[in-house]
Structures are given as structure tokens and as C-alpha cells.
Amino acid sequence: GANQNLESPVAPSPRYTGQVVDFSSEGKCPACTREASQVSLSTKDRAALRSAILKLAAASGPSNLQSVASFSRWLRRKAREGHHFDYILDGANIAYTKQNYAEGRFSVVQIALVKHHLEQLGAKVLVLLPQKYCGSVVPNHIRRKGKDRKFEMVELDEDEQQLLQAWQETNQLYSVETGVHDDYLWMLATVANEQDRMQNLTRVVSNDLMRNHRKWLLNSRDFLRWRFTQVVHFELSHGIEEYAPLPEVVIFEPPPFSREIQRTEHGWHIPLCAAASSLAQDSDGLASKHLWSATGGVEFDDEAPGEDEKLEASRPNDAADAPSRVDESEDPVRTSSMLGSYAAMRDDLKRSWLCLQAT
């Protein structure tokens, strides 16, 4: 009887004070002075993505699975040898950017420019390229606005051949076997090793928004977290042309913090503005929303030849009639548009947060 009606003490629910704020560009809250962070995949989620990629490769045929598994072993061996790649370049995607005009062609030099830009920043870079583009004569697939694909075999010039040879000799080029989807490999590279610290994440440089893979991999939230933190978009001021100056390279690094609900030491940060869109509210994520508007409804895949129709750009319903590529040869404002859209995305990220602090 003495123990009847005895209950464990219940801790009182905390009380919070709230303030709507705009963060700094780096994610610092002016109310509590805490900084928001990038929300990346957990170790468990990274393992789930690795498994999903292997299952997807297996479903595509034994050659795909064998090649993906072989690449995974190669990456682990390199890691044991102390080699860490900061960036994987989606080589075909970069080589065809701004080349969709009558004289356009697959450009190894464009890959070299992006690679050099990152290396100047101290990064270790691996180029991933389908085997058919690693020889002296390569297929050339371009599509001009309102016209059919153009296909031809072209011979790489001597400089381009020497670049490929130099990358191969220094283990900076990985050749993807014919018939194997190279995007499986660069997706796997971003989660191949345990990389818990944000600064050690391997990122892929590509303008592929990967809508055609999302449903097969992770749930929407985790897929977008991965893409937001590890897929880096790029832009060239213009495509490589004979007698023209070399283009400038712009790399759109992921912003330093994610627009997601985040717990702080004494409270919470909660994104509010529906127009700016959090990852949970926006099915395509902030980065892709602004990239889409900047490119005028164009999603960049890689070369997208006939045998790789799965790499065709998937477009929203309201742009179903848009061409999957555009004639970019006379578009001097596109780079400034991309820069403006990226700045707008960064501005959206910091707007309208609710800072809750326990009292």
C-alpha cells in the first residue's frame, strides 16, 4: 500500500521562445549565434545507397554488376594505398557541354579545363569516361535544337590523345567498359568508402539531375540529401571552338548548410518559407530548381547516344515538349544566368528560419 500511487517524476516540457530570422550566407543564426550545417547521409544510409546501386547494376545485366563491383574494389584498393579522390568527373557530360551546334564535338579539352580548375584548388580528381571515348577515334553525338541527332566518328587531335594517355598513366582516368552505365560508377564512388566528415566527402561534377534514378535508389529525402551535398554542378562560359579563347570554368559548390529542420544545443532551427522550399517541401530540391530555371528547362545528361536512351533527360510535365538539348553556340548570357540562379538559390536557403530557444 505504501507504494501505491507512486509515479516516476516527469520532467517538465521545455518552453521555447521563437524568432523568425534570416541566416548569414554561411548559415549563422543572428538570434542564437549557432550555425546550421550540411545534412549528409548517415553511415547507414551510405551503405543502403551502395547496396541499391549494386542491385540496380545487377538488374541491368551481369556485365554491369561485374564492372561496378570491379570499380568498387579498385576504389578500396586506392583508399588502402592512401589515394582519396575529392572529385569524380562525369567526363562525357562535361565533354559535350556547349557543343550542341553544327560543328560541335566531344571535347577532351573541356574535361581538362574542369579538372585543372579543381586541381588548382588543391583537389584530387578522377576522370570517369566510357571506354569508347578513350581511344584516338571516338563517336560524336550532338543534337541541335529542333533537329535529329548528329552521329559521326571523329579523330581526337594529338593534344587530346596525349591528355588521355597522361591521365591513364597517372591513374587519373578510369575507363568504363562498353555497355556499362557510367553513372552507376560515379554514384558508387561518392559512397564507396566511409566518409563521415563533410570535408572528406567525394563529390561528382556533373549537370545530370538524375531524376531517372531517384525512384530506384533511396527515399526522396535521403536521395536529395546525397545529391545536395555530393553532386556538384558546373558551367563553361562557352564551348571549345577552333581559334576561340579557352572558356572560363565555374563550379557551383554545394552551399555550406541544408534547408532542413536542424537541432541546436538549446533548441531548433526550422525553415519556414514555402516559396523558398525545404528539401521536404520541394521534390526536386533547391539546387535543381534553380539549375532548371537557369538552363531554360534543359537537363544535361551525358552524350545520350541511341543505345543509352535511359540517360535521356526527364523533364517536368510543363516542359514535356522542350528539347532535351539546346543550341548553345550563341548564348552569351547563359553563364551569367547560371550564376544569378545559383546566387538566388543561396539567398533562398538563408531566408525565413524559425529559431526556437529553450528558456
Side-chain angles (χ1 to χ4, degrees):
N3 291 329
Q4 288 181 357
N5 299 323
L6 288 181
E7 297 181 0
S8 300
V10 177
S13 298
R15 294 179 179 273
Y16 293 92
T17 58
Q19 184 178 348
V20 177
V21 298
D22 291 343
F23 287 172
S24 72
S25 297
E26 299 305 313
K28 187 173 183 178
C29 173
C32 68
T33 71
R34 302 292 179 182
E35 289 190 356
S37 61
Q38 277 190 353
V39 181
S40 60
L41 293 182
S42 67
T43 300
K44 180 180 178 181
D45 292 333
R46 294 172 65 79
L49 181 54
R50 286 196 296 271
S51 177
I53 292 169
L54 289 172
K55 289 180 181 178
L56 192 59
S60 301
S63 62
N64 273 277
L65 178 59
Q66 183 177 357
S67 293
V68 171
S70 177
F71 181 58
S72 180
R73 291 192 295 270
W74 184 85
L75 286 172
R76 289 198 298 271
R77 184 171 71 251
K78 289 300 175 184
R80 289 194 298 270
E81 295 171 355
H83 299 294
H84 168 76
F85 296 107
D86 301 298
Y87 293 92
I88 308 295
L89 301 191
D90 182 2
N93 184 275
I94 297 171
Y96 277 113
T97 294
K98 296 288 185 74
Q99 292 296 330
N100 295 309
Y101 59 98
E103 291 77 30
R105 65 190 295 272
F106 179 88
S107 174
V108 176
V109 176
Q110 291 186 177
I111 304 174
L113 289 174
V114 175
K115 180 175 180 290
H116 177 73
H117 177 91
L118 294 168
E119 289 173 338
Q120 288 292 99
L121 301 175
K124 302 296 183 182
V125 181
L126 175 68
V127 178
L128 208 60
L129 204 56
Q131 192 174 60
K132 59 189 174 184
Y133 292 112
C134 295
S136 58
V137 178
V138 303
N140 190 47
H141 301 270
I142 64 170
R143 186 190 326 200
R144 291 166 289 165
K145 186 174 182 180
K147 298 184 179 181
D148 294 333
R149 292 186 195 279
K150 173 184 176 183
F151 171 78
E152 60 186 354
M153 299 298 293
V154 297
E155 183 174 3
L156 298 180
D157 62 37
E158 186 175 348
D159 289 341
E160 290 180 308
Q161 294 181 43
Q162 289 178 355
L163 283 170
L164 292 176
Q165 182 178 352
W167 297 342
Q168 288 175 327
E169 291 174 352
T170 54
N171 288 317
Q172 294 177 303
L173 172 66
Y174 192 93
S175 173
V176 183
E177 295 177 28
T178 301
V180 175
H181 301 314
D182 56 339
D183 40 348
Y184 292 164
L185 273 66
W186 57 253
M187 283 189 286
L188 183 68
T190 63
V191 292
N193 302 306
E194 296 305 327
Q195 305 164 25
D196 293 327
R197 293 181 297 170
M198 287 301 302
Q199 60 267 33
N200 285 339
L201 289 179
T202 295
R203 294 182 167 91
V204 61
V205 179
S206 176
N207 282 339
D208 186 347
L209 298 184
M210 304 185 60
R211 290 190 179 92
N212 52 338
H213 287 303
R214 181 169 62 199
K215 64 180 179 180
W216 302 110
L217 297 172
L218 298 170
N219 64 54
S220 182
R221 185 199 65 177
D222 290 339
F223 179 83
L224 291 168
R225 281 179 175 175
W226 167 77
R227 193 175 70 181
F228 187 82
T229 56
Q230 293 188 252
V231 179
V232 177
H233 299 306
F234 70 96
E235 176 63 316
L236 303 175
S237 58
H238 57 273
I240 289 288
E241 297 182 53
E242 192 173 9
Y243 307 121
L246 292 176
E248 295 181 8
V249 177
V250 180
I251 299 294
F252 299 98
E253 289 286 357
F257 62 98
S258 303
R259 192 173 175 86
E260 289 194 59
I261 295 175
Q262 300 188 31
R263 190 164 192 169
T264 65
E265 185 177 0
H266 301 294
W268 298 85
H269 285 144
I270 303 172
L272 294 179
C273 183
S277 213
S278 70
L279 290 179
Q281 294 166 325
D282 178 3
S283 61
D284 283 324
L286 277 167
S288 65
K289 180 186 75 171
H290 285 283
L291 181 68
W292 182 268
S293 66
T295 55
V298 178
E299 177 174 336
F300 292 90
D301 50 17
D302 65 4
E303 78 281 5
E307 71 268 25
D308 289 333
E309 289 301 323
K310 75 167 197 69
L311 292 176
E312 283 287 347
S314 63
R315 300 179 292 282
N317 291 335
D318 61 355
D321 295 328
S324 61
R325 292 181 181 269
V326 294
D327 187 336
E328 301 160 329
S329 59
E330 298 180 2
D331 190 6
V333 302
R334 185 170 179 272
T335 299
S336 61
S337 174
M338 286 279 285
L339 286 169
S341 244
Y342 184 71
M345 182 268 286
R346 293 289 295 263
D347 196 53
D348 276 352
L349 282 173
K350 67 182 184 180
R351 299 292 183 194
S352 299
W353 288 77
L354 175 61
C355 175
L356 293 178
Q357 299 183 71
T359 57

